[in-house]
């Protein structure tokens, strides 16, 4: 039945609550099609307005055809219109989201908005900006990109364009660094306006609670080796235990006794510094595994980013955990730092008044997109129907049986020359598999610890005849896999998942690498009942037995796997909600501090305040140093204390969060309420403290006609700063554990970072 012939009220009822109908967009795309000829023969395309969307689409289509040799399909226009209306467009892999996103970004820009296209990584930011460049130019829209190695000047220039492409981390780091500017001329990022987010679910949901951090240099943690040595002597199950999900580790009473004794009879729970140190060492010892969570190369710890499954170059954990892991590996401690400021990805994105995005897997997170961002999903049909064959999971009793089956299956498929792409869950699995294949005389390419550009080039070849590519989840994301000569006749690309992911979206993203644009293709997942997913999230379930050959044919097998995945998804959502509950207030306060900071930076509010507080001194200094110099000195004094007090506030609140559960338990209070009460009170103190310290400094400051002497006045800022992304937060451990004991789910986490 034709969709248009269904009465509207039934169509509305068929729509999922979080989804938007696309009928109106389809009609505009059809109108644009009818006007195609009108623009085909024009020597010069008019600059479109957004008053007539069909005209805009027709002109954009013609511009893309002329400049980048792609005539946008109707579904791409429909996707772009959904983005222009502020939705998340669900479009499958290979449908051409890059072009849809560019049409939408151009549309937003032509409405007079400044647009940031948030891409998955630096490589794609640059590739997409350069690829789409001529298209933008034809529409009179300027475009730029930012990458990790861009200089401040290049960044400022890129952000001055109508459309700027940047990865979420670069965009966030620029916002954080701006936060430390001591002169308005040093600012880099303009006011946020529109964000067009590529791989929207991964940014908005999976990475939402990840903090982006700006840190400044301080002393290295000298005590870490001692703590590492101490925890190395503790035994699992006796001195410490892991929770059922293996995310948290905690000392037992026996363990606490042993540690207290080793530390000279202290009371651990009355020595917060010692407790933190021991917890960090224990976390590094019991939860972080070499070659899974990090590699040791050239005497340095290199993190493996879990969501990307590759070495995150230049990344580090923040202070404590980094030192703990270095001590565990008996490496010298690298420089550590103090957190000057931080913002979560969710907080970063919510700064944009308008948000939209595209991804292959949005419907599964419709609820979160609505809850956290007020976004709705528009499901865009494929240009050509998908004919990929997705086989049911094959379940094995043990990892050994699964891995053997994996090698056999790859060998069988490869025999005919059909290309195989294997998705593994972590680096060590990739390496084991590559070894297994080699033993069978099969050569493969392994992607996991390479840079994005290299990965992209390799993954692009994964559809060639006879190719075997082994890759962790995100390797080469955003790169097209085209089928080689004669591969379609062999059935197209065959994707094998070496285990189901903690979210069905990740499974779907892996599957989606085959069968793009109506290509033939196939997918299957091999799962073992010993996989982490099952062990952690279906722990209480009775597991069906395997047959002689190691295969589990029992009909419960499939259910268990799906069940474990749903439990994992639920746990992740709970962690997301929980983190947001705790960070929301801090981010509101951060916004207020920044508003104040802006006034100091751009105006005379510092001078006014100090002149009012100490009129005598002000008068005296005006005479000796001059009004202009004095105004600038006042600005520097207040900025310094504002930043300093905020840093201290963040540190204080992180301690509060860590200890809150104990206090809340003692007083039968809800931890969150208690946390909020503390935050509100401490924030009020912060405001008073900034004023008090600023006046105090002003009274003693060395100010001459040459200006303020910052060192003489004791206002030294950190000599070096760096930024990183925290993957997960280990400091919540004790806290989350109690939460879980109280019946809610919390989460343990891990940090990783990026250093400059
Ligand atoms: P996605 O991000 O949706 O997976 P991409 O934007 O990477 O897809 O595009 C996939 C491929 O399809 C690219 O190689 C691109 O050149 C091609 N493509 C996209 N749109 C068109 C079009 N309208 N006509 C021809 N090729 C297109």
């Amino acid at each position: 039945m034709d969709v248009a012939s269904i009465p509207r009220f039934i169509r509305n009822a068929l729509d999922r609550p979080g989804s938007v109908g696309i009928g109106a967009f389809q009609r505009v795309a059809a109108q644009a099609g009818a006007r195609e000829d009108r623009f085909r023969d024009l020597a010069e395309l008019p600059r479109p307005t957004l008053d007539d969307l069909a005209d805009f689409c027709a002109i954009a289509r013609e511009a893309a055809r002329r400049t980048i040799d792609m005539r946008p399909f109707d579904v791409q226009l429909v996707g772009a219109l959904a983005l222009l209306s502020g939705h998340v467009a669900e479009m499958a892999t290979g449908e051409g989201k890059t072009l849809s996103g560019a049409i939408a970004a151009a549309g937003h820009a032509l409405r007079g908005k400044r647009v940031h296209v948030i891409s998955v990584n630096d490589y794609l930011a640059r590739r997409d900006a350069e690829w789409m460049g001529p298209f933008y130019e034809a529409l009179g829209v300027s475009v730029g990109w930012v990458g990790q190695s861009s200089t401040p000047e290049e960044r400022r220039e890129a952000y001055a364009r109508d459309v700027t492409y940047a990865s979420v981390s670069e965009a966030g780091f620029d916002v954080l660094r701006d936060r430390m500017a001591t002169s308005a001329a040093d600012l880099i990022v303009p006011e946020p306006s529109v964000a067009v987010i590529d791989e929207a679910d991964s940014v908005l949901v999976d990475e939402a609670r990840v903090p982006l951090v700006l840190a400044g240099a301080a002393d290295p943690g000298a005590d870490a080796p001692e703590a590492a040595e101490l925890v190395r002597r503790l035994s699992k199950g006796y001195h410490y235990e892991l929770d059922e999900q293996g995310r948290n580790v905690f000392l037992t009473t026996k363990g606490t006794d042993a540690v207290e004794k080793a530390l000279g009879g202290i009371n651990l729970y009355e020595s917060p510094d010692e407790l933190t140190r021991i917890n960090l060492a224990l976390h590094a010892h019991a939860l972080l595994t070499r070659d899974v969570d990090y590699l040791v190369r050239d005497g340095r710890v290199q993190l493996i980013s879990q969501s990307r499954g590759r070495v995150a170059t230049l990344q580090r954990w923040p202070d404590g955990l980094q030192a703990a892991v270095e001590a565990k590996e008996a490496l010298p401690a690298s420089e550590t730092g103090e957190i000057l400021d931080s913002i979560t990805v969710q907080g970063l994105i919510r700064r944009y008044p308008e948000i939209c995005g595209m991804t292959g897997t949005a419907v599964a997170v419709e609820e979160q997109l609505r809850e956290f961002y007020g976004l709705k999903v528009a499901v865009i049909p494929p240009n050509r129907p998908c004919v990929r064959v997705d086989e049911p999971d094959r379940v094995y009793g043990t990892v050994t049986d699964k891995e053997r089956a994996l090698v056999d299956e790859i060998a069988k498929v490869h025999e005919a020359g059909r290309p195989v792409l294997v998705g593994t869950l972590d680096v060590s699995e990739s390496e084991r598999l590559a070894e297994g294949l080699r033993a069978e005389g099969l050569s493969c390419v392994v992607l996991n610890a390479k840079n994005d550009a290299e990965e992209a080039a390799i993954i692009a070849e994964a559809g060639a005849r006879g190719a075997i590519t082994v890759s962790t989840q995100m390797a080469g994301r955003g790169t097209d896999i085209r089928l080689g000569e004669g591969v379609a006749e062999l059935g197209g690309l065959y994707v094998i998942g070496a285990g189901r992911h903690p979210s069905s979206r990740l499974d779907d993203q892996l599957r989606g690498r085959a069968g793009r644009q109506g290509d033939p293709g196939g997918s299957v997942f091999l799962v073992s009942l010993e996989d982490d997913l099952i062990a952690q999230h279906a722990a209480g379930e009775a597991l069906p037995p395997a047959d002689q050959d190691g295969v589990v044919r029992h009909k419960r097998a499939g259910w268990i796997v799906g069940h474990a995945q749903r439990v994992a998804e639920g746990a992740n959502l709970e962690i997301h909600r929980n983190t947001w509950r705790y960070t929301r207030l801090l981010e509101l306060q951060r916004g207020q501090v920044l508003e104040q900071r802006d006034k100091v930076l751009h105006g005379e509010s510092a001078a006014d305040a100090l002149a009012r507080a100490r009129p005598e001194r002000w008068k005296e200094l005006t005479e000796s140093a001059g009004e202009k110099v004095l105004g600038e000195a006042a600005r520097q004094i207040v900025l310094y204390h504002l930043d300093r007090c905020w840093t201290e506030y963040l540190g204080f609140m992180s301690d509060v969060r860590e200890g809150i559960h104990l206090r809340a338990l003692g007083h039968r209070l809800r931890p969150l309420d208690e946390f909020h009460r503390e935050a509100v009170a401490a924030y009020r103190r912060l405001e008073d403290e900034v004023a008090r310290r600023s006046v105090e400094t002003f009274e003693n400051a060395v100010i001459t006609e040459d200006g303020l002497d910052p060192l003489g006045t004791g206002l030294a800022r950190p000599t070096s700063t760096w930024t990183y992304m925290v993957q997960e937060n280990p400091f919540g451990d004790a806290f989350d554990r109690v939460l879980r004991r109280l019946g809610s789910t919390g989460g343990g986490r891990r940090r990783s970072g990026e250093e400059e």
Side-chain angles (χ1 to χ4, degrees):
M1 182 164 44
D2 174 20
V3 176
S5 68
I6 305 175
R8 175 175 289 275
F9 71 93
I10 298 185
R11 242 188 300 151
N12 287 347
L14 288 175
D15 279 344
R16 277 186 227 78
S19 308
V20 283
I22 57 167
F25 305 143
Q26 286 171 318
R27 280 191 292 279
V28 173
Q31 284 166 11
R35 296 181 198 174
E36 198 157 347
D37 292 343
R38 204 184 289 174
F39 298 102
R40 183 56 65 92
D41 301 324
L42 289 184
E44 199 154 318
L45 287 176
R47 184 180 158 97
T49 68
L50 272 282
D51 299 336
D52 184 335
L53 283 173
D55 258 7
F56 165 71
C57 287
I59 297 171
R61 171 176 272 166
E62 181 59 18
R65 195 189 61 81
R66 288 185 191 181
T67 53
I68 50 179
D69 196 23
M70 285 193 273
R71 178 191 166 275
F73 307 121
D74 279 7
V75 287
Q76 283 174 301
L77 295 180
V78 172
L81 290 165
L83 295 175
L84 272 171
S85 306
H87 302 305
V88 172
E90 180 174 275
M91 298 170 74
T93 314
E95 288 295 314
K97 288 187 280 294
T98 315
L99 180 54
S100 271
I103 296 170
H108 281 299
L110 289 166
R111 272 183 184 150
K113 302 285 164 85
R114 202 187 288 282
V115 187
H116 291 177
V117 181
I118 305 293
S119 24
V120 175
N121 57 43
D122 281 9
Y123 162 73
L124 291 174
R126 177 175 182 171
R127 185 201 72 176
D128 292 352
E130 290 179 343
W131 182 16
M132 297 293 138
F135 161 73
Y136 283 114
E137 197 184 332
L139 294 180
V141 173
S142 60
V143 59
W145 56 270
V146 170
Q148 202 181 348
S149 52
S150 306
T151 63
E153 212 26 70
E154 288 166 343
R155 286 170 195 268
R156 208 168 286 127
E157 231 167 78
Y159 286 116
R161 305 287 169 92
D162 301 322
V163 177
T164 311
Y165 283 73
S167 65
V168 70
S169 47
E170 283 313 308
F173 294 155
D174 283 333
V175 165
L176 283 174
R177 282 186 287 246
D178 261 0
R179 197 218 168 293
M180 302 307 277
T182 53
S183 125
D186 292 341
L187 293 172
I188 287 186
V189 197
E191 276 289 295
S193 170
V194 178
V196 177
I197 303 170
D198 197 6
E199 309 282 3
D201 58 329
S202 119
V203 173
L204 297 176
V205 176
D206 300 333
E207 298 197 328
R209 61 179 196 273
V210 170
L212 295 147
V213 179
L214 177 76
D219 296 333
D223 305 334
E226 189 200 330
E229 184 51 39
L230 203 163
V231 300
R232 203 170 286 141
R233 299 200 301 265
L234 304 180
S235 4
K236 181 168 155 184
Y238 184 75
H239 291 115
Y240 64 87
E241 278 176 38
L242 306 188
D243 68 3
E244 63 285 0
Q245 304 187 357
R247 284 166 162 269
N248 292 301
V249 54
F250 47 94
L251 289 173
T252 60
T253 320
K254 290 271 190 316
T256 308
D257 290 347
V259 169
E260 289 180 340
K261 197 154 153 248
L263 292 176
I266 63 162
N267 181 340
L268 205 48
Y269 291 90
E270 279 171 8
S271 330
D273 291 353
E274 293 289 345
L275 181 61
T276 303
R277 208 157 61 80
I278 295 296
N279 275 338
L280 286 169
L282 203 54
H283 188 100
H285 176 73
L287 297 181
L288 299 181
T289 311
R290 186 165 167 165
D291 295 335
V292 173
D293 299 301
Y294 61 93
L295 306 173
V296 176
R297 273 197 199 154
D298 309 326
R300 283 176 55 111
V301 172
Q302 291 191 314
L303 300 198
I304 295 168
S305 155
Q306 290 292 316
S307 71
R308 303 215 170 86
R310 61 185 174 84
V311 169
T313 34
L314 295 175
Q315 292 204 342
R316 70 197 307 284
W317 285 284
D319 27 346
L321 194 55
Q322 179 80 19
V325 173
E326 283 160 353
K328 171 184 172 188
E329 298 295 338
L331 299 170
S334 51
E335 192 180 55
T336 66
E338 171 181 53
I339 292 177
L340 302 176
D341 192 22
S342 87
I343 185 171
T344 59
V345 169
Q346 182 160 336
L348 176 75
I349 299 297
R350 283 173 53 111
R351 296 171 68 244
Y352 292 88
E354 281 184 70
I355 307 168
C356 60
M358 57 271 187
T359 172
T361 43
V363 169
V365 284
E366 237 166 23
E367 201 187 317
Q368 278 116 298
L369 293 174
R370 198 180 51 231
E371 177 177 339
F372 295 116
Y373 305 92
L375 288 169
K376 289 185 174 180
V377 175
V379 179
I380 316 295
N383 185 40
R384 296 216 186 101
C386 178
V387 298
R388 186 185 61 236
V389 180
D390 296 325
E391 297 167 38
D393 291 351
R394 295 181 205 164
V395 183
Y396 299 83
T398 65
V399 171
T400 318
D401 283 332
K402 177 185 85 173
E403 291 187 348
R404 191 174 314 127
L406 208 48
V407 173
D408 291 349
E409 180 68 18
I410 295 166
K412 198 176 90 198
V413 175
H414 173 74
E415 214 166 57
R418 187 176 183 187
V420 187
L421 173 70
V422 189
T424 64
L425 297 180
D426 60 54
V427 178
S428 61
E429 187 169 42
S430 289
E431 273 164 7
R432 270 201 314 280
L433 180 61
E435 214 167 277
L437 289 171
R438 230 173 277 128
E440 295 292 316
L442 298 172
S443 62
C444 62
V445 193
V446 182
L447 295 186
N448 50 38
K450 298 260 162 57
N451 70 51
D452 293 313
E454 243 174 76
E455 280 175 5
I458 294 172
I459 204 107
E461 295 302 311
R465 200 185 171 101
I468 304 179
T469 314
V470 177
S471 151
T472 46
Q473 171 59 14
M474 298 294 138
R477 226 182 153 180
T479 309
D480 223 17
I481 303 182
R482 287 174 188 253
L483 300 183
E485 274 285 299
V487 167
E489 291 75 59
L490 296 169
L493 179 67
Y494 193 55
V495 168
I496 307 180
R500 292 268 296 258
H501 296 88
S503 126
S504 62
R505 280 178 298 120
L506 298 180
D507 292 347
D508 290 344
Q509 285 161 14
L510 177 60
R511 275 198 192 102
R513 308 219 69 152
R516 339 158 19 260
Q517 287 283 343
D519 280 348
S523 79
V524 69
F525 281 78
L526 273 58
V527 184
S528 105
L529 295 180
E530 290 177 347
D531 287 355
D532 283 352
L533 180 69
I534 316 268
Q536 290 176 10
H537 299 285
E541 300 293 335
L543 299 178
D547 294 341
Q548 282 287 319
D549 56 358
V551 181
V552 183
R553 295 189 176 79
H554 196 283
K555 62 180 187 310
R556 247 180 90 74
W559 180 85
I560 290 266
V561 176
H563 171 72
Q565 193 173 54
R566 280 187 297 275
V567 172
E569 286 168 348
N572 270 325
L573 173 56
E574 228 9 79
I575 294 172
H576 184 173
R577 282 212 177 103
N578 200 33
T579 311
W580 184 234
R581 282 184 198 119
Y582 280 87
T583 48
R584 190 166 36 190
L585 180 60
L586 293 189
E587 292 194 349
L588 271 175
Q589 293 173 335
R590 183 180 182 277
Q592 285 172 12
V593 166
L594 282 187
E595 220 172 276
Q596 233 178 312
R597 196 180 196 280
D598 260 8
K599 283 197 197 123
V600 176
L601 197 59
H602 296 285
E604 301 304 322
S605 70
D608 293 348
L610 291 179
R612 223 176 312 118
R614 291 291 178 270
E616 295 291 298
R617 169 99 170 133
W618 187 267
K619 192 155 161 277
E620 174 196 324
L621 283 171
T622 314
E623 279 155 21
S624 62
E627 184 131 20
K628 191 152 172 283
V629 166
L630 193 53
E632 184 53 31
R635 178 174 296 130
Q636 295 311 320
I637 291 173
V638 175
L639 285 180
Y640 177 86
H641 289 300
L642 203 54
D643 294 342
R644 189 65 229 155
C645 286
W646 178 250
T647 296
E648 289 174 14
Y649 175 74
L650 281 182
F652 174 74
M653 287 316 296
S654 134
D655 288 350
V656 168
R657 188 172 164 184
E658 209 187 327
I660 200 82
H661 61 291
L662 295 174
R663 235 178 313 164
L665 270 190
H667 299 281
R668 305 202 165 279
L669 296 168
R670 289 184 52 208
L672 183 64
D673 294 344
E674 182 69 358
F675 180 83
H676 281 165
R677 237 164 37 89
E678 283 280 6
V680 169
Y683 185 75
R684 215 169 281 142
R685 287 199 298 275
L686 174 148
E687 290 179 326
D688 296 344
E689 195 60 14
V690 173
R692 191 189 67 73
R693 289 190 201 177
S694 297
V695 171
E696 189 181 294
T697 302
F698 179 59
E699 287 190 324
N700 306 312
V702 185
I703 303 173
T704 65
E705 359 176 56
D706 299 332
L708 174 80
D709 172 9
L711 293 181
T713 311
L715 300 186
R717 287 180 169 270
T719 46
S720 71
T721 61
W722 63 90
T723 46
Y724 57 83
M725 240 170 128
V726 176
Q727 293 289 325
E728 292 178 84
N729 177 1
F731 299 117
D733 286 0
F735 163 81
D736 288 324
R737 214 157 56 231
V738 170
L739 262 195
R740 199 171 300 118
R741 238 184 271 146
L742 291 175
S744 339
T745 348
R749 322 69 178 299
R750 187 176 303 117
R751 289 189 173 199
S752 73
E754 185 160 294
E755 185 185 46
E756 289 179 326

